[in-house]
Amino acid sequence: MNVRAWLALLGAVAVALAAVGEARRLAARGSRGRRFFRHGTASGGLFVLAFFTTVAAAAPLVAPYPPSSMPEIVALQNAPPSLAHPLGTDVYSRDVWSRLVYGARVSLGIGALAMLVAVTLGAAAGAVAGYARRWVDPVLMRLVDVGLSMPRIFVLLMVVALWERLPVSALVLVIGLTGWFGTSRLVRAEVLSLREREFVAAARALGARPARIILRHVLPNVAAPLIVSAALGIGSVMLLEASLSFLGIGVPSPVPSWGNMIADGKDHLATAPWTSLFPGLAIAIVVMALNAVGDALRDALDPGQETA
Amino acid sequence: MTEPLLRVRDLKTYFVTERGGGTARAVDGVSFDVYPGETLGIVGESGCGKTVTSLSILRLIPEPPGHILSGSLIEFEGRNLLTLRPPELRAIRGNEVAMIFQEPMTSLNPVFTVGDQIAEAAIVHQRLPRKQARARAIEMLRLVGIPDPEERVDHYPHQLSGGMSQRVMIAMALVCHPKLLIADEPTTALDVTIQAQILELLDRLQAELGMAVLLITHDLGIVAGTSDRVVVMYAGQVVETAATPELFAHPLHPYTEGLMAAVPRIDTRVSQVRGRLHTIPGQVPAASGWPAGCRFHPRCPYAWDRCTAEEPPLLDAGRGEPGSHAVRCWLLTEPRRRTPQA
């Protein structure tokens, strides 16, 4: 591992620390921000997320080697951690740290994008069901019941079986399409209570169209619970992606993801545990960080605690 | 006489109740007119149907469970609002007929600034560009007497007091200069001094903009000070209607009488009226089961057997112009009975 990579790593830590510091400074202004950082783990979680995001964004700088280069397929196979390879190498002599860095792009990217798809769909379905009621609500909600009662991993297995090699973009879409059910229930519940509020009646009395009422008056008031559920949901999407990749039906092999890295190392757990251990640790740490931030957000955005 | 701006005829708004498929006849055959530029007050106790009446005019009743029966007529400038298609109806809401609600604090959307919300109707109806809409919002804030409108326009509802929120609501309603303003208990949630300010404001704006106001309230004092004519509602029906001075001078329906007796007066000493304020015994019955005959008979001090058997129609009191003072009471046919049996 060369000087440039070490410096870049230090730089990433510095950027993450600076980001957390700036966030704390901004947060100190408002009651919500103060409630967010009152959580002991919020700063730590935010730091972890900022760090991995920076590393993922600056992957070519941080990673000492290209993620798929196999310099010495025999001599460097399953080499233990050393100065040159701080997290060791895998069975194909690829640098585990470099793959972890590039894998962050894939794993975090899939997590965030799939969650975005799921949250958008869930919010749309929930808002329409909750606002329209009549026949729309039962139809959509029974659909959600069906979705929630199907084991997700088998649905995904089926899709993969039908398409064989799934591009990453399709994977994102499929995970998103199967992940909006819970969100839609949450949004529907909020909308059902919001639609009876007087400001919605006032908007109707002003002559606003239903679409305008939903988009401008109802959904912004659902933002807080939606953000919380998205933050908590990214973690579970990352775990799902890891499981799929571990099973060999997620991200196709030469592209590193934290899930398929664990899979690559699973046959050598006894002799080269580092090949699976480090991506596993990365997943655990990031998911824990997401949960910590999600919990802090929940407390910060809970309007019940808002003091006038 | 000029043509009425709003003509309501035989309005019936029923609600299907959850259990047993019963029907709550919240508004049951209400008729009245609002003329251009006048203030019509609708008074009555809670549960008498006045709010449902006001919501029915702009068809804001949640359907289901509510529905307006066919045969009802709500005519605004010659157009029957009950048969308009949704886009046509939306073009009237907030534009020609506007409404302000009881609770100013909850009628404003907490996530938008005051300016955004005032500008909304102008953006919806007149497609005003953002900048002009903002300028209009500031102008409206000034009109309703909010100090520092340039600054207040960017404030959020939680930064306003109750009185200020109600001023903002009025600004929202008036931004398109409607011809009719429906004010549903506009001052009930406010304390008395603010109440007076808001009523004065409504009065001034009505004169400046030349609009008609349909004022819904349970407070006879408010009606006396602001309305030209009054409609008294009880149990989903109009029980008495008259010009304000006439109604206060000669209340004919026992319910109106009772309401007036229940208002503390500053010019009679409490000791003179036997030390206690008058109350009407009992309460408004549930809308799912109005009493047979005259709906007021269980609480009426004069009621006799005809009242329990036959429902009285609105009878002309024969005072002033024909039809100007009408009462739904059999006493009109037998005035000798107007001495309590008790």
Side-chain angles (χ1 to χ4, degrees):
Chain A
M1 191 149 155
N2 53 29
V3 178
R4 189 254 303 155
W6 283 113
L7 283 178
L9 181 59
L10 278 177
V13 173
V15 167
L17 281 175
V20 174
E22 179 68 12
R24 290 195 77 119
R25 200 177 61 75
L26 287 176
R29 288 186 193 161
S31 63
R32 290 183 164 187
R34 280 196 295 275
R35 276 208 305 275
F36 180 81
F37 281 107
R38 201 181 296 155
H39 256 258
T41 48
S43 295
L46 213 57
F47 170 76
V48 169
L49 295 185
F51 171 73
F52 276 101
T53 312
T54 316
V55 161
L61 288 177
V62 182
Y65 310 97
S68 304
S69 84
M70 298 181 257
E72 303 258 2
I73 190 94
V74 181
L76 262 176
Q77 198 186 39
N78 287 334
S82 63
L83 262 185
H85 298 282
L87 302 184
T89 63
D90 69 2
V91 69
Y92 302 113
S93 81
R94 297 176 297 197
D95 181 51
V96 171
W97 168 241
S98 298
R99 286 181 70 73
L100 199 69
V101 166
Y102 276 93
R105 283 188 161 181
V106 176
S107 293
L108 292 177
I110 289 179
L113 287 177
M115 205 57 224
L116 197 69
V117 172
V119 162
T120 311
L121 280 175
V128 169
Y131 191 79
R133 299 194 301 184
R134 294 180 190 251
W135 59 269
V136 184
D137 183 29
V139 167
L140 273 171
M141 284 305 113
R142 290 303 78 75
L143 200 72
V144 165
D145 287 343
V146 171
L148 280 173
S149 56
M150 284 194 298
R152 202 168 167 194
I153 200 119
F154 292 121
V155 175
L156 293 170
L157 276 171
M158 192 184 74
V159 171
V160 175
L162 286 174
W163 269 274
E164 270 181 80
R165 275 191 104 52
L166 210 59
V168 175
S169 54
L171 188 70
V172 166
L173 218 63
V174 171
I175 294 178
L177 284 173
T178 54
W180 57 271
F181 308 115
T183 314
S184 77
R185 276 197 170 170
L186 176 89
V187 172
R188 171 181 172 269
E190 290 283 327
V191 170
L192 278 181
S193 93
L194 281 168
R195 76 192 300 285
E196 303 299 332
R197 295 275 293 276
E198 287 205 314
F199 64 80
V200 172
R204 289 209 294 147
L206 279 180
R209 279 179 297 119
R212 187 182 177 87
I213 293 174
I214 291 180
L215 290 176
R216 268 188 59 94
H217 292 278
V218 174
L219 276 184
N221 282 291
V222 191
L226 206 55
I227 290 169
V228 173
S229 100
L232 294 172
I234 292 178
S236 76
V237 169
M238 286 183 61
L239 289 177
L240 184 67
E241 180 272 324
S243 326
L244 289 175
S245 298
F246 181 83
L247 292 174
I249 59 168
V251 179
S253 183
V255 182
S257 89
W258 293 349
N260 68 24
M261 286 173 72
I262 299 177
D264 287 343
K266 71 175 187 298
D267 296 333
H268 312 279
L269 273 181
T271 50
W274 50 85
T275 50
S276 291
L277 176 67
F278 290 114
L281 270 179
I283 291 174
I285 289 171
V286 169
V287 171
M288 267 161 55
L290 280 165
N291 285 340
V293 169
D295 274 344
L297 274 176
R298 191 208 307 274
D299 288 355
L301 298 180
D302 181 2
Q305 299 191 17
E306 194 69 62
T307 43
Chain B
M1 213 162 177
T2 47
E3 277 294 293
L5 186 67
L6 178 78
R7 191 201 301 269
V8 176
R9 285 291 172 274
D10 202 24
L11 174 66
K12 289 183 177 168
T13 307
Y14 291 2
F15 289 84
V16 178
T17 51
E18 292 279 312
R19 278 164 304 151
T23 304
R25 295 180 287 165
V27 174
D28 204 8
V30 164
S31 304
F32 58 86
D33 293 324
V34 183
Y35 291 91
E38 77 163 347
T39 300
L40 177 70
I42 297 187
V43 256
E45 280 170 280
S46 311
C48 72
K50 51 193 197 302
T51 295
V52 175
T53 304
S54 71
L55 290 174
S56 299
I57 294 171
L58 280 177
R59 278 166 63 191
L60 292 170
I61 297 289
E63 298 178 40
H67 67 286
I68 299 173
L69 268 66
S70 58
S72 309
L73 175 77
I74 297 175
E75 205 175 67
F76 177 76
E77 292 192 318
R79 281 166 295 175
N80 186 356
L81 299 186
L82 296 176
T83 54
L84 288 186
R85 288 182 298 112
E88 297 165 335
L89 187 63
R90 284 197 296 267
I92 289 181
R93 286 178 180 166
N95 194 20
E96 297 184 68
V97 182
M99 189 154 180
I100 52 181
F101 292 87
Q102 220 173 103
E103 289 282 343
M105 306 295 249
T106 56
S107 300
L108 293 171
N109 189 335
V111 302
F112 288 112
T113 65
V114 164
D116 278 337
Q117 298 187 55
I118 296 175
E120 175 145 26
I123 291 170
V124 167
H125 293 293
Q126 303 173 351
R127 311 222 167 274
L128 228 55
R130 277 196 142 277
K131 253 190 136 168
Q132 282 181 34
R134 189 187 151 85
R136 174 75 72 81
I138 293 174
E139 181 194 312
M140 290 308 296
L141 283 174
R142 188 172 292 125
L143 185 71
V144 297
I146 287 188
D148 302 323
E150 283 87 358
E151 197 183 320
R152 284 288 176 187
V153 75
D154 293 321
H155 280 198
Y156 285 89
H158 72 267
Q159 294 168 289
L160 305 177
S161 67
M164 279 227 245
S165 306
Q166 194 56 289
R167 283 171 194 264
V168 168
M169 284 298 298
I170 293 172
M172 269 172 78
L174 299 190
V175 74
C176 290
H177 298 321
K179 293 173 188 152
L180 174 65
L181 177 70
I182 302 171
D184 183 7
E185 304 258 9
T187 57
T188 305
L190 308 173
D191 64 55
V192 190
T193 46
I194 308 295
Q195 207 167 50
Q197 289 175 17
I198 294 290
L199 290 172
E200 261 168 51
L201 172 71
L202 276 177
D203 220 35
R204 175 169 67 81
L205 292 175
Q206 180 177 17
E208 275 176 38
L209 305 175
M211 63 186 174
V213 175
L214 181 60
L215 184 73
I216 287 143
T217 178
H218 63 269
D219 190 335
L220 279 173
I222 290 176
V223 165
T226 55
S227 303
D228 302 307
R229 291 188 305 122
V230 187
V231 167
V232 182
M233 279 186 72
Y234 183 79
Q237 294 178 324
V238 174
V239 293
E240 183 160 10
T241 169
T244 311
E246 162 76 10
L247 186 86
F248 279 83
H250 303 283
L252 290 177
H253 197 283
Y255 179 61
T256 320
E257 251 176 22
L259 282 182
M260 303 231 180
V263 177
R265 295 182 62 99
I266 203 157
D267 52 358
T268 44
R269 297 251 302 280
V270 174
S271 57
Q272 288 174 342
V273 282
R274 280 175 291 154
R276 295 195 75 170
L277 206 53
H278 177 78
T279 55
I280 304 176
Q283 43 193 276
V284 183
S288 47
W290 299 128
C294 170
R295 291 179 184 181
F296 188 61
H297 84 256
R299 304 172 71 189
C300 183
Y302 311 111
W304 71 98
D305 38 353
R306 185 174 191 185
C307 304
T308 56
E310 258 181 286
E311 187 170 336
L314 261 182
L315 300 165
D316 189 19
R319 302 177 57 89
E321 274 181 65
S324 67
H325 191 165
V327 186
R328 189 184 293 278
C329 183
W330 289 125
L331 274 177
L332 239 59
T333 60
E334 292 182 55
R336 289 175 300 103
R337 290 187 181 263
R338 197 180 281 275
T339 32
Q341 267 84 55

